[in-house]
Amino acid sequence: MTGPGKDFPILAKEIYGKRLVYLDNAATSQKPNSVIDTISDFYRSDNSNIHRGVHYLSEVSSERYEEAREKVSSFIGADEPAEVTFTAGTTDSINQVARSLEPVLRGNEVLITGVEHHSDIVPWQLAGARLRAIPMDEGCDLLTDSIEITDRTKLIAVSHASNVLGSVNPVREVTRIAKEHDIPVLVDAAQSIQHIPIDVKDIGCDFLAFSGHKMYAATGIGVLYTSERFSEIMPARGGGGMVDKVTLEGTTYLKPPLRYEAGTPHIAGAISIGAAIDYMQGIGMDKIRRDEHEVYSYARERLLETDGVTVYGNTGQMCGSISFNLENIHHYDTGMILDKMGIAVRTGHHCAQPLMRTLGIEGTVRASFALYNTKDDADALIDGIGKVRMMYS
Ligand code: PMP
């Protein structure tokens, strides 16, 4: 294998005797050797709990954990590492914001988009907020001119990139409009952090959420960026490691980021995000964006040219995912047959039921790309689709 694919040992695996064509990256990405080695080296030589120990190993693991925070902070252009909290993933990050802001959100409104993942819908409902979607055009692109903010709007929460369509939302335009009304904006970057260079100051958001496992790091670890102006919100979780003084009458909290990290965190996971950032920066985010775009556009064009294939969404700025269906063939059947050819895709509603309702379908086949995918992978997908269609003709 040539190119970055050679750094990912699982890609050398055969599935049913066929070369693995892994196109389920929006669900989770594979891990390069450097990340796998970092995780196992941590447990082999540095493992200890952080922040609380006076002994050598605790100091080493604390340093490595904080070093990972610094890497995340500079990777996303935060002002300082204190703006970066480690969470369990995008879902956890958004739930934490919903819980912290619940007193403001309850009985009020959160503005979202019609392409949101359930993770950017359900937490707001649990916090007692009503949801309203920013209007979209027929290709599911946001109509930012139609953003309507009322007295009840307390937050705008938008995905940077759709996990279904691959469309990139104009988050800068959203934050510009939100600022005019002094409304905070949360950006769900689960599907963009691994594809697009991100600068939170440039975007102008107050919260940014993403997961480690979709950006070549471990599962069970994620990030919540919180801008300085929200640095003193109520912690969503209480416990050890986040308090200053505890009495039975009341508790005072530490300053961020520890204020938001109750309990023992996923230390190896955080360090794996640092290793994943090193890996991506070793290639260069601009190069990743350029090279991925070439493969992504090629795959999309080939799908659009293929008879009997419906591709969903517009063709503006895109990254990562492509959703499609084959005429008269259930998405699940398509996915099952592709699997037998060694091609891993995902089928179903992709945790975006409101979007499926808008599209008037139950589900799609989703092929999603990462930095190691090649035009050969796209060709394998198209050949596979041809075979599925033959079987049904
Ligand atoms: N938001 C988006 C846009 C996603 O694609 C996903 C994962 N499919 C999530 C949130 C949730 O991520 P996680 O399961 O890692 O918490």
Side-chain angles (χ1 to χ4, degrees):
M1 191 173 283
T2 56
K6 69 180 180 334
D7 300 331
F8 293 76
I10 206 170
L11 298 180
K13 202 177 160 79
E14 291 199 337
I15 305 284
Y16 310 118
K18 313 264 169 26
R19 175 175 86 85
L20 168 63
V21 178
Y22 188 76
L23 293 173
D24 193 19
N25 295 287
T28 201
S29 66
Q30 299 302 347
K31 322 300 172 199
N33 281 313
S34 60
V35 167
I36 298 168
D37 292 346
T38 297
I39 295 169
S40 71
D41 287 350
F42 172 75
Y43 284 120
R44 275 182 213 288
S45 60
D46 295 336
N47 179 50
S48 181
N49 210 332
I50 54 168
H51 297 323
R52 270 154 258 168
V54 287
H55 61 85
Y56 177 83
L57 282 182
S58 178
E59 250 175 52
V60 172
S61 45
S62 303
E63 261 170 37
R64 294 195 66 186
Y65 184 78
E66 290 307 325
E67 199 180 271
R69 195 193 307 279
E70 281 164 25
K71 281 182 190 169
V72 172
S73 171
S74 77
F75 187 59
I76 61 173
D79 277 339
E80 48 179 319
E83 293 176 325
V84 171
T85 302
F86 285 115
T87 66
T90 311
T91 306
D92 186 38
S93 297
I94 298 176
N95 273 279
Q96 288 201 36
V97 176
R99 178 134 173 83
S100 293
L101 299 185
E102 183 169 342
V104 182
L105 299 181
R106 187 159 286 282
N108 282 311
E109 180 186 82
V110 175
L111 211 50
I112 59 168
T113 80
V115 301
E116 293 311 307
H117 188 279
H118 297 163
S119 294
D120 197 30
I121 296 175
V122 185
W124 312 121
Q125 292 172 331
L126 285 172
R130 241 182 321 111
L131 295 176
R132 191 156 53 83
I134 300 168
M136 307 187 288
D137 66 16
E138 282 185 356
C140 298
D141 280 346
L142 273 198
L143 294 168
T144 47
D145 287 348
S146 306
I147 291 180
E148 195 195 319
I149 289 170
T150 73
D151 287 349
R152 288 209 170 276
T153 314
K154 300 298 175 195
L155 179 75
I156 305 182
V158 293
S159 50
H160 196 184
S162 159
N163 68 312
V164 178
L165 306 172
S167 47
V168 177
N169 281 322
V171 283
R172 243 181 250 106
E173 180 60 8
V174 172
T175 58
R176 189 191 64 71
I177 295 164
K179 277 204 176 82
E180 286 171 7
H181 301 265
D182 199 24
I183 308 284
V185 175
L186 176 141
V187 173
D188 172 351
Q191 298 295 348
S192 57
I193 190 79
Q194 64 283 54
H195 301 299
I196 301 176
I198 285 185
D199 183 318
V200 285
K201 298 294 153 190
D202 181 43
I203 292 175
C205 55
D206 293 291
F207 303 98
L208 184 96
F210 57 91
S211 302
H213 70 99
K214 295 178 199 280
M215 55 176 290
Y216 314 108
T219 51
I221 183 78
V223 167
L224 174 63
Y225 157 82
T226 304
S227 70
E228 213 269 329
R229 106 181 153 114
F230 284 90
S231 62
E232 302 280 304
I233 53 175
M234 201 61 181
R237 300 222 170 102
M242 48 81 75
V243 294
D244 177 26
K245 201 170 219 159
V246 181
T247 67
L248 297 193
E249 287 69 44
T251 294
T252 53
Y253 310 111
L254 291 175
K255 291 209 166 305
L258 297 187
R259 177 189 181 92
Y260 303 116
E261 292 180 357
T264 301
H266 185 357
I267 305 164
I271 292 170
S272 81
I273 291 193
I277 288 173
D278 287 343
Y279 179 77
M280 287 191 284
Q281 286 183 328
I283 299 173
M285 284 310 291
D286 288 330
K287 179 166 166 54
I288 289 174
R289 176 71 177 136
R290 255 194 332 272
D291 292 354
E292 281 190 1
H293 186 66
E294 204 178 312
V295 174
Y296 179 94
S297 312
Y298 174 78
R300 197 174 178 94
E301 266 159 39
R302 286 217 60 193
L303 275 166
L304 284 165
E305 283 163 5
T306 308
D307 281 343
V309 177
T310 304
V311 182
Y312 299 99
N314 244 340
T315 51
Q317 248 219 79
M318 321 279 294
C319 69
S321 299
I322 308 177
S323 262
F324 59 92
N325 269 316
L326 307 194
E327 203 178 354
N328 297 328
I329 308 175
H330 196 275
H331 47 85
Y332 179 75
D333 295 336
T334 305
M336 286 283 285
I337 300 168
L338 288 173
D339 173 56
K340 298 294 175 287
M341 302 175 204
I343 303 168
V345 292
R346 188 152 289 244
T347 66
H349 56 59
H350 316 294
C351 297
Q353 287 180 16
L355 173 59
M356 294 300 130
R357 223 159 283 130
T358 303
L359 294 171
I361 54 178
E362 273 179 24
T364 73
V365 183
R366 180 184 71 185
S368 54
F369 293 77
L371 59 80
Y372 38 71
N373 290 118
T374 59
K375 288 185 178 172
D376 281 350
D377 294 339
D379 289 339
L381 174 69
I382 303 296
D383 288 351
I385 287 170
K387 287 181 188 145
V388 176
R389 292 195 68 228
M390 288 253 289
M391 286 172 70
Y392 278 79
S393 64

